[in-house]
Each structure stands twice: as structure tokens, then as C-alpha cells.
Amino acid sequence: MSSNMSSFLYLISAVSFIMALRGLSSAATSRLGNLYGMFGMAVAILTTLLTPTISRYGIILAGIAVGGGIGAIIAKKIRMTALPQLVAGFHSLVGLAAVLVAGAALNAPDAYGIGAIGTLKASSLAEMGLGSAIGAITFTGSLIAFGKLQGLISGKPLSFAGQHLLNAALGAAIVFLLVIFMMTESHFIFWMLTLVALSLGFLLILPIGGADMPVVISMLNSYSGWAAAGIGFTLSNNLLIIIGALVGASGAILSYIMCKGMNRSIFNVILGGFGTDPATAAANASAASDRPVKVSSAEDAAFILSNAQSVIIVPGYGMAVAQAQHALREMCDHLKKKGVKVRYAIHPVAGRMPGHMNVLLAEANVPYEEVQELDEINSDFSTTDVAFVIGANDITNPAAKTDASSPIYGMPILDVEKAKTVLFIKRSLASGYAGVDNDLFYRDNTFMVLGDAKKVCEDVVKGL
């Protein structure tokens, strides 16, 4: 295949990825966006395989078969609740790939057409070093995120005195080693640089609390993109540069949106400087343990819902864990038959990754026009008869607006407490992922319906 034809096909692939991002920006067009992405990746792989420099097809095809087989098995078996940790795991593989490709290019630069050992340009060495450093941070940071989301590591912030100073020292060491590597082309310095970056990845994510994982996931997504772009420069592969830049930029923008939704500083995300204070959370939970709460039943909830004119559903991670989205949609179908106006309110950080709730509701065939974001629907709670909160916690906590000592203070929340009646479906009165007790539990207009979210919805359907 000629170089002109390769460039043309790579251009088609790049446009397909841009169209994929555009499609994925809306739930209504997300399926088409996915198809664009699949088509673009297929074109990219086939074009690469048909380039004249490729000779050892056996190893390449074996790698595709193994990776594709594992991916197919995971896609068939993965539960929707495990998507956040799956994404974190995939990010770690992208980071590791960047490190390995950079190491391979340094070890055999002639095979990649970038020169000979000992004569590499400083720009090529800078691209290798940066690609490997960002990839290493992405790799270990994603492993920690995976561990926190999977429950293998405590979701509480893990910090120690002087942690920020140590992170700053490691960052300075990376810059210093990168400069030395550009001047010497030393393999030892390269792997030292990579080792320091691996350590920094651990330390950046460990102090971040579980409630902030949605922001971490999107930021690690951005890191993986920039790592890929750096390796694209090393390999002089324009498509890899474009894809990396698309992923890096979109991940950074999404991280900014997430930070705005949680009232966090983007710089704190990058530096690993935010998270819940466990002592404060424990004190809040202890102080709230003796407060009175109204506990109701599914039958009572059905009666309240059937007499309402408007209902807003607020889904959260508890709905995902219980796989309650189908039972919830059935409940809402019954309400709509009774003439009740039903809508869904989605907080930017509902669930444990951006768009988690939207995907779950789409899986249950909830009409897209009924699903609204925080800014669109928040003002409507004050004129709504019932707010039906199912498994959401921190994103409905009024303490974010009233308690300056709360770790979630300043985070925009859904104003469910303004509804005439709040039906809160939850397994127990335990605190949310941020470790903060929810003041909404104890409001006069709140009725707690304790139990598995799916079972409660099914019982409400029976009551209706």
C-alpha cells in the first residue's frame, strides 16, 4: 500500500473517531457514535497491517486474537455496575502500552525509522520520555482507581504528612531526569524516569476519596490520551497523534465539567490534592445517629405516588448495584398510565463514572426526552409533588449548601428537599460514598423506604 493511500485511510479513520465523539455526546445518538468508533478502529488496524514495513504477521495476529478474545469475553460478562473499574483497568493498559512502546523505540530506534542508537534527536528523546512518564502515571494511577472502585483498596483518602511535598519532589525529579535523558540518551536514566513516574501515579490517586472517583476516571482518560499522542510523535504516526489528542482533550474537558459539578479545583485533581476527611465524616455520622427519621413501606410509597401529579426520579449508584432500572421503568410506566408526569434528574457525578446513570436508563429503554440534567430540572423540584430518590446519596445532601465544615460543601446538588414529599429508597441509613451523613434523611417531608432498590420498585408496582 502506498504512503498516500495509507494517509487517506488514516484520515478516514480520524474523521470516524471525531464523529464517534460527536455521537457519544448524546444518549440519542450514542449507538451511532459507537459504530463510528468501531469502523474507525477497524480501518486504522487494517491500514497499519497493510503497510510495507509490517512483516511478522503471526505475532501481530496472535496479539489481536488474544486481546480481542479477552475483550469479547469481558464485554459479554461485565455488569453495568462494574463499568467504572473496567474503564480504569483499560486506562492502565493504555498507559502500560505507552511505556512499552517508548522502551522498544529506545532499544531499537532503527526498527521504527527514527534513527540509530546513539544518534537520536533530542526531540525524539523528549517524546519518548514524556510518553513513558505520562503512561507510567496513567498505569499506576489507574490501578489504584481500579482497586478503590472494586473495593480492594479503601475508598477513604489515604494520605500522610508531607505528601504534597513528596509529590512535588517526584514531579521535579521527572523533569530533571527528562532533561538528562535528552542530553545523554541513557537507557538507565530512561528507566529511572519511568520508575519515578510509576511512583508518582500511586501517590497522586491514593489521597483521593471514593466520592471523587468520577473525576479521577475522566482525568485518567485524559492522561491515557496524552500518553498515546506522545508515542504517536515518537513513531511519526499521525493517526495515533490525532486519536491521542482527541482522547486527551475530551477527557480534560470532561474532567473540568465534573469538577464544576462538584465545586472542585481542576488543579487539585491533577495534583491529587482533594478528598474526604475521614475524621470529619465519622464525626458527622456519629452526631446524626440519634436523629429521628420517618420509615415507610413500599405500599405507602405506592399510595403517595399514585396520588401525585408530578414525580421526579433521582437515580444513583444504589440503583446500579441493585440492577433496578428495569423495575423502575415499569413503575414509571404504571404512573404515566395514571396520568402522572414523570421525569428523571441526572447529576453530573451520579454513579461512579460520567454518564453511568444515562447508560443504565437507556438500557431500560427509558425515553431520552424524560431524562434531564441538573441545570435543566433543578428549579422544578419546588413545584413537584414527589421526588423519588433511588440509591443516590451525596448528590442530594443539603449539607453541601449549609454546612461549611462538610467535605462536600459547595458541591452543586439536586434540590430534592424542596419537593412536597421525598421518597428515599436505600438499603440503610448509612452514609454515602463520601462518608458523610445525609441531612435529607431527617427532613420532615422525607420518608425512608429501606430495602433493596429493585425489590422496593417491584413492591411499589404491585401496590400500584
Side-chain angles (χ1 to χ4, degrees), residues 61-298:
L61 293 176
I64 292 175
V66 172
I70 293 173
I73 293 172
I74 292 175
K76 294 289 287 185
K77 293 187 174 182
I78 193 71
R79 293 179 58 128
M80 292 300 297
T81 49
L83 273 183
Q85 48 264 51
L86 176 67
V87 171
F90 282 170
H91 287 163
S92 73
L93 296 179
V94 176
L96 181 61
V99 173
L100 295 178
V101 171
L106 178 63
N107 189 60
D110 52 327
Y112 292 85
I114 58 176
I117 295 177
T119 62
L120 296 180
K121 296 180 180 179
S123 58
S124 296
L125 295 173
E127 292 158 3
M128 289 181 200
L130 281 174
S132 181
I134 298 174
I137 292 172
T138 304
F139 174 61
T140 50
S142 297
L143 288 181
I144 295 298
F146 172 85
K148 283 177 175 280
L149 292 168
Q150 188 66 18
L152 302 176
I153 302 174
S154 172
K156 296 180 180 179
L158 303 175
S159 57
F160 53 86
Q163 189 166 35
H164 293 303
L165 288 176
L166 178 58
N167 288 349
L170 291 176
I174 289 175
V175 174
F176 175 75
L177 291 170
L178 179 61
V179 173
I180 299 300
F181 174 61
M182 292 169 59
M183 297 170 59
T184 63
E185 197 181 318
S186 167
H187 288 218
F188 174 77
I189 294 296
F190 173 83
W191 291 113
M192 281 294 296
L193 166 68
T194 303
L195 183 62
V196 173
L198 288 170
S199 302
L200 183 59
F202 278 118
L203 294 173
L204 282 176
I205 308 302
L206 276 174
I208 298 177
D212 297 315
M213 278 298 120
V215 187
V216 174
I217 293 295
S218 61
M219 182 55 70
L220 289 171
N221 179 47
S222 179
Y223 289 170
S224 68
W226 298 125
I231 297 306
F233 280 107
T234 299
L235 304 181
S236 298
N237 188 308
N238 292 332
L239 181 62
L240 195 53
I241 295 172
I242 293 171
I243 295 173
L246 284 173
V247 174
S250 60
I253 293 170
L254 184 58
S255 298
Y256 174 77
I257 294 172
M258 294 292 103
C259 287
K260 187 177 180 181
M262 299 179 72
N263 196 35
R264 305 292 195 185
S265 165
I266 187 69
F267 295 105
N268 283 344
V269 181
I270 297 172
L271 299 175
F274 65 90
T276 302
D277 180 359
T280 302
N284 289 341
S286 176
S289 59
D290 297 327
R291 295 165 66 182
V293 62
K294 296 178 181 178
V295 178
S296 191
S297 65

Side-chain angles (χ1 to χ4, degrees), residues 2-76:
S2 66
S3 60
N4 287 339
M5 179 57 71
S6 296
S7 298
F8 176 71
L9 291 174
Y10 278 154
L11 177 61
I12 291 177
S13 181
V15 172
S16 298
F17 289 128
I18 294 172
M19 295 300 294
L21 278 179
R22 180 179 177 83
L24 292 171
S25 65
S26 167
T29 58
S30 58
R31 288 181 183 272
L32 182 61
N34 246 338
L35 291 175
Y36 273 122
M38 293 163 64
F39 174 76
M41 185 57 70
V43 171
I45 292 173
L46 290 174
T47 302
T48 302
L49 289 176
L50 294 175
T51 55
T53 55
I54 301 297
S55 58
R56 303 182 68 180
Y57 284 98
I59 295 177
I60 295 173
L61 293 176
I64 292 175
V66 172
I70 293 173
I73 293 172
I74 292 175
K76 294 289 287 185

